[in-house]
Amino acid sequence: MEQQTFQFEERQIFAVSEIVGQVRKDLESGFRSVWVQGEISNLKSPPSGHLYFTLKDDEAQISAVCFRMRSRYLKFQPEDGLDVLARGTVTVYPPRGQLQLMVEHMEPVGRGGLQLAFEQLKARLQAEGLFSESLKKRLPLLPAKVGVVTSPTGAAIQDILRVLKRRNDRVSVLIYPTRVQGKSAAGEIAAGIDYMNTRSDLDVLIVGRGGGSLEDLWPFNEEEVARAIFRSRVPVISAVGHEIDFTIADFVADLRAPTPSAAAEIVSGQRSELLSRLEHLARRSLQAVRAQLHRHQRRFDRVQRSRGFVDVETRLQFLQQRLDENRLRLQTSIGPLVQRLGRRRESAGRELEHQIRYLLQARSTRLATCSEKLQAYSPLQVLERGYAIVTKEDGKVIRDPDTVQPEELIHVRVARGRFRARKEA
């Protein structure tokens, strides 16, 4: 019987890690920097800042990871259910032997990532109250020093300086130079706003730049700039782009200016508006004073022509006439007496002196009495004692209360002024 000899082929044995490593190598070389479209699901964002999620379509799914150094530059916030285009490398995660896409870049499908990021951040900050009108600060009427955070070489700063020089060259300007576009611009702008708030000599702050594309204006849509504006102690005017451009900074700022030039107009216009308002108030005050004086003059003339003052003036004239008559009578009486006493001067000098003194004292007393009567009849003296002259609207003096109707307006003249009153029913 013929003996047969079997030879077994030598077996090649691989370790699991070797198989996974080889597959990973082949995948990474064959699927490097590929674009994958799918819907995000099972999104997880741990404190590390990495993003873990699944990309799926109707028939399959693949695990994906976007590490922090990449995710921080995404222009939108990934969320479950969002259809995206992801660019990355297909690999294998060795601990689980799981197929995985390492994402380097991602953008939404159907709408731009910047627009989506804008809408997401706007909604979140609005929910936090950063856009609240009640928290916005009022601009000063007469700013002495204005801070500007912008590019020192851009057209915006030139526009601002030109308008301020033309409208109000007394305003001082402090410029904090920053980039206004690019990856580092947002951090520089936020740092500029924070620095300006360390100073005590600034009255208002302008933050902005000229117009541009959404990408160019994007630093003013960054969260760190929005929060720097919100915590600013100094009132902030946002002046970004042109009239049609709106940024997150516009919604957070205390006031939005459509252009940098408009921001300068607003700042410088406060002084001219105040001066115009003061001139208007001065003219109104002068007109009011003149009208009041005219009304008082008419009332004074009316009262002066009233019978009450005419009667008092007539009685004063009578008293003055009596005073003159008494003085003349006194002089007439004393003259002959002095002549008679002169002939008897040698014999009765002392008696004459005594009689003269007595007569002069009597006449002086009478004169003083007349003067007191004259003062007593003066309407002003009567008013000083608490009396008043009451007249109707037509200037007639009221002597009988029954001549005044209930609720009728009357005029009362007292020692130191006049006022109006009404008779109670």
Side-chain angles (χ1 to χ4, degrees), residues 121-131:
L121 181 60
K122 178 183 175 184
R124 181 157 55 86
L125 296 183
Q126 186 172 20
E128 292 184 29
L130 270 67
F131 304 163

Side-chain angles (χ1 to χ4, degrees), residues 342-360:
R343 290 191 296 266
R344 300 172 57 185
R345 180 173 50 187
E346 294 180 358
S347 60
R350 292 181 179 179
E351 181 180 357
L352 177 60
E353 182 179 358
H354 176 73
Q355 291 294 330
I356 291 175
R357 287 180 178 179
Y358 174 80
L359 183 60
L360 288 176

Side-chain angles (χ1 to χ4, degrees), residues 386-406:
Y387 291 93
I389 299 175
V390 184
T391 62
K392 291 191 175 186
E393 283 285 345
D394 58 3
K396 293 183 179 180
V397 176
I398 300 173
R399 294 182 173 83
D400 187 348
D402 293 337
T403 63
V404 181
Q405 300 298 321

Side-chain angles (χ1 to χ4, degrees), residues 142-143 163-171 267-269 271:
L142 294 174
V163 172
L164 289 179
K165 183 177 180 180
R166 172 171 54 84
R167 289 180 58 101
N168 188 1
D169 57 1
R170 296 182 181 180
V171 176
V267 170
S268 60
R271 180 174 182 269

Side-chain angles (χ1 to χ4, degrees), residues 188-229:
E188 293 184 15
I189 295 169
I193 296 172
D194 289 338
Y195 168 76
M196 291 298 198
N197 276 270
T198 64
R199 302 181 62 97
S200 60
D201 57 342
L202 292 180
D203 301 309
V204 66
L205 185 59
I206 299 175
V207 179
R209 57 155 290 162
S213 65
L214 181 58
E215 289 78 6
D216 293 339
L217 304 181
W218 191 254
F220 297 92
N221 289 320
E222 295 283 2
E223 183 173 356
E224 58 182 322
V225 172
R227 295 198 180 277
I229 294 175

Side-chain angles (χ1 to χ4, degrees), residues 61-273:
Q61 64 181 25
I62 184 174
S63 296
V65 59
C66 184
F67 293 109
R68 181 177 181 274
M69 62 181 302
R70 301 288 186 181
S71 66
R72 63 187 298 185
Y73 294 114
L74 294 178
K75 300 302 184 182
F76 70 101
Q77 182 64 45
E79 55 188 33
D80 286 339
L82 187 64
D83 196 18
V84 298
L85 276 174
R87 178 175 57 82
T89 300
V90 179
T91 185
V92 173
Y93 180 53
R96 289 199 297 267
Q98 181 180 356
L99 193 66
Q100 176 176 269
L101 177 67
M102 295 178 60
V103 177
E104 299 173 357
H105 173 76
M106 190 162 49
E107 61 188 45
V109 173
R111 52 180 173 170
L114 292 181
Q115 186 62 35
L116 177 61
F118 177 88
E119 295 171 359
Q120 289 177 337
L121 181 60
K122 178 183 175 184
R124 181 157 55 86
L125 296 183
Q126 186 172 20
E128 292 184 29
L130 270 67
F131 304 163
S132 175
E133 291 292 332
S134 62
L135 298 179
K136 296 188 183 300
K137 296 174 284 294
R138 297 183 62 181
L139 300 184
L141 286 176
L142 294 174
K145 195 165 189 177
V146 178
V148 182
V149 178
T150 190
S151 170
T153 60
I157 188 61
Q158 300 302 323
D159 292 341
I160 291 172
L161 294 178
R162 183 176 63 255
V163 172
L164 289 179
K165 183 177 180 180
R166 172 171 54 84
R167 289 180 58 101
N168 188 1
D169 57 1
R170 296 182 181 180
V171 176
S172 300
V173 180
L174 177 66
I175 303 172
Y176 187 97
T178 67
R179 293 184 178 89
V180 291
Q181 67 184 65
K183 291 183 178 180
S184 62
E188 293 184 15
I189 295 169
I193 296 172
D194 289 338
Y195 168 76
M196 291 298 198
N197 276 270
T198 64
R199 302 181 62 97
S200 60
D201 57 342
L202 292 180
D203 301 309
V204 66
L205 185 59
I206 299 175
V207 179
R209 57 155 290 162
S213 65
L214 181 58
E215 289 78 6
D216 293 339
L217 304 181
W218 191 254
F220 297 92
N221 289 320
E222 295 283 2
E223 183 173 356
E224 58 182 322
V225 172
R227 295 198 180 277
I229 294 175
F230 183 73
R231 63 175 173 263
S232 174
R233 171 186 53 81
V234 182
V236 176
I237 300 176
S238 175
V240 183
H242 301 303
E243 293 188 15
I244 61 173
D245 299 321
F246 276 86
T247 64
I248 297 296
D250 294 329
F251 296 108
V252 183
D254 300 297
L255 184 68
R256 175 194 180 257
T259 63
S261 298
E265 295 275 354
I266 292 170
V267 170
S268 60
Q270 300 292 321
R271 180 174 182 269
S272 60
E273 290 174 7

Side-chain angles (χ1 to χ4, degrees), residues 221-393:
N221 289 320
E222 295 283 2
E223 183 173 356
E224 58 182 322
V225 172
R227 295 198 180 277
I229 294 175
F230 183 73
R231 63 175 173 263
S232 174
R233 171 186 53 81
V234 182
V236 176
I237 300 176
S238 175
V240 183
H242 301 303
E243 293 188 15
I244 61 173
D245 299 321
F246 276 86
T247 64
I248 297 296
D250 294 329
F251 296 108
V252 183
D254 300 297
L255 184 68
R256 175 194 180 257
T259 63
S261 298
E265 295 275 354
I266 292 170
V267 170
S268 60
Q270 300 292 321
R271 180 174 182 269
S272 60
E273 290 174 7
L274 179 61
L275 292 177
S276 176
R277 183 179 178 186
L278 289 176
E279 292 176 357
H280 175 68
L281 291 176
R283 289 194 298 269
R284 289 189 59 186
S285 299
L286 182 60
Q287 293 173 356
V289 170
R290 287 175 175 173
Q292 188 77 356
L293 288 175
H294 183 65
R295 287 195 298 270
H296 285 309
Q297 183 64 48
R298 287 188 301 175
R299 289 177 57 193
F300 177 77
D301 293 342
R302 186 170 60 250
V303 172
Q304 191 177 38
R305 292 191 300 268
S306 67
R307 185 175 179 181
F309 274 92
V310 173
D311 290 346
V312 170
E313 185 176 4
T314 301
R315 299 193 67 178
L316 284 175
Q317 291 173 351
F318 288 162
L319 288 174
Q320 289 174 348
Q321 184 177 353
R322 288 186 60 186
L323 180 61
D324 292 339
E325 291 175 352
N326 288 334
R327 285 176 178 173
L328 182 61
R329 189 178 300 113
L330 179 62
Q331 293 173 356
T332 303
S333 301
I334 291 177
L337 180 60
V338 171
Q339 291 178 359
R340 290 196 303 270
L341 292 177
R343 290 191 296 266
R344 300 172 57 185
R345 180 173 50 187
E346 294 180 358
S347 60
R350 292 181 179 179
E351 181 180 357
L352 177 60
E353 182 179 358
H354 176 73
Q355 291 294 330
I356 291 175
R357 287 180 178 179
Y358 174 80
L359 183 60
L360 288 176
Q361 181 65 35
R363 295 299 183 181
S364 296
T365 301
R366 185 174 181 182
L367 181 61
T369 301
C370 292
S371 178
E372 290 176 359
K373 288 182 179 181
L374 181 61
Q375 290 294 329
Y377 280 111
S378 171
L380 298 179
Q381 187 66 25
V382 173
L383 297 182
E384 284 289 346
R385 294 201 301 271
Y387 291 93
I389 299 175
V390 184
T391 62
K392 291 191 175 186
E393 283 285 345

